Amino acid sequence: MNDDLKALIRTIPDFPKPGIMFRDITTLLLDAKGFATSIERMAAATHGPVDLIAGIEARGFLFAAALAAPLGAGVLLIRKDGKLPGVTIAEDYALEYGTDRIAIHADAMAPGQRVLLVDDLIATGGTARAAVRLLRKAGAVVEQAQFLVDLPDLGGAAALRADGIAVDSLVAFEGH
């Protein structure tokens, strides 16, 4: 379906550790037509109007900003805790070993705003699920998420769907 875009994503075996097949989107980002096409297709897959595009640090920022113009929406940054000035609200989530925390500005949105969650890749879904919880805690209506790449074997998209999120991705790669 999106084989043209999939061909622009480089696979680097055994990075960052043996057995991992790293899906490197920097090669797609370097291709102006490929990046523009990915944004056009993500915008076309968006269901209904959205007020804000929430991008997850850091590559999600690129897709959120690029999608904002064609969708007529603002950009909301979801950052690692401690990176935003001012008052924030945050959400913890589990990592393989320990926990991490993401945050948004407490005044970044009004309750009831429709938010599209965007990131470059969905793997286990830990960060994306935490982002949905955080946005909903702030009063957002979050019903959809978009990713350039899905790694379905890791279950993140399925977990988001179980949380009531419509998940779209342009390409999928088997394995991890």
Side-chain angles (χ1 to χ4, degrees):
M1 175 167 125
N2 289 305
D3 290 341
D4 56 336
L5 299 178
K6 193 172 189 175
L8 295 173
I9 299 168
R10 170 173 56 183
T11 298
I12 301 174
D14 299 320
F15 182 84
K17 60 184 182 180
I20 301 294
M21 299 296 284
F22 187 81
R23 308 307 176 168
D24 180 17
I25 68 156
T26 62
T27 47
L28 179 135
L29 296 173
L30 286 166
D31 186 289
K33 184 176 187 284
F35 182 57
T37 299
S38 68
I39 296 305
E40 289 168 10
R41 291 178 188 169
M42 290 173 92
T46 300
H47 312 291
V50 294
D51 301 306
L52 297 169
I53 314 294
I56 299 173
E57 188 171 347
R59 291 176 301 252
F61 294 173
L62 301 170
F63 291 92
L67 277 168
L71 293 178
V75 177
L76 188 154
L77 303 180
I78 300 175
R79 303 231 34 209
K80 293 177 181 171
D81 195 34
K83 300 280 186 170
L84 292 169
V87 178
T88 61
I89 58 173
E91 182 74 23
D92 293 321
Y93 63 100
L95 298 170
E96 187 176 357
Y97 301 102
T99 61
D100 209 345
R101 190 171 174 88
I102 54 174
I104 61 173
H105 279 121
D107 62 354
M109 53 175 281
Q113 283 193 291
R114 298 161 301 194
V115 178
L116 168 65
L117 180 66
V118 174
D119 206 356
D120 66 320
L121 183 140
I122 180 93
T124 64
T127 307
R129 293 180 78 202
V132 168
R133 290 191 307 272
L134 175 61
L135 292 165
R136 287 177 172 169
K137 184 182 348 182
V141 176
V142 186
E143 298 174 334
Q144 56 187 320
Q146 299 235 2
F147 304 92
L148 175 66
V149 176
D150 181 16
L151 304 178
D153 293 347
L154 297 179
L160 272 178
R161 287 183 186 102
D163 292 341
I165 303 295
V167 179
D168 290 296
S169 60
L170 296 180
V171 299
F173 288 95
E174 299 302 317
H176 50 76

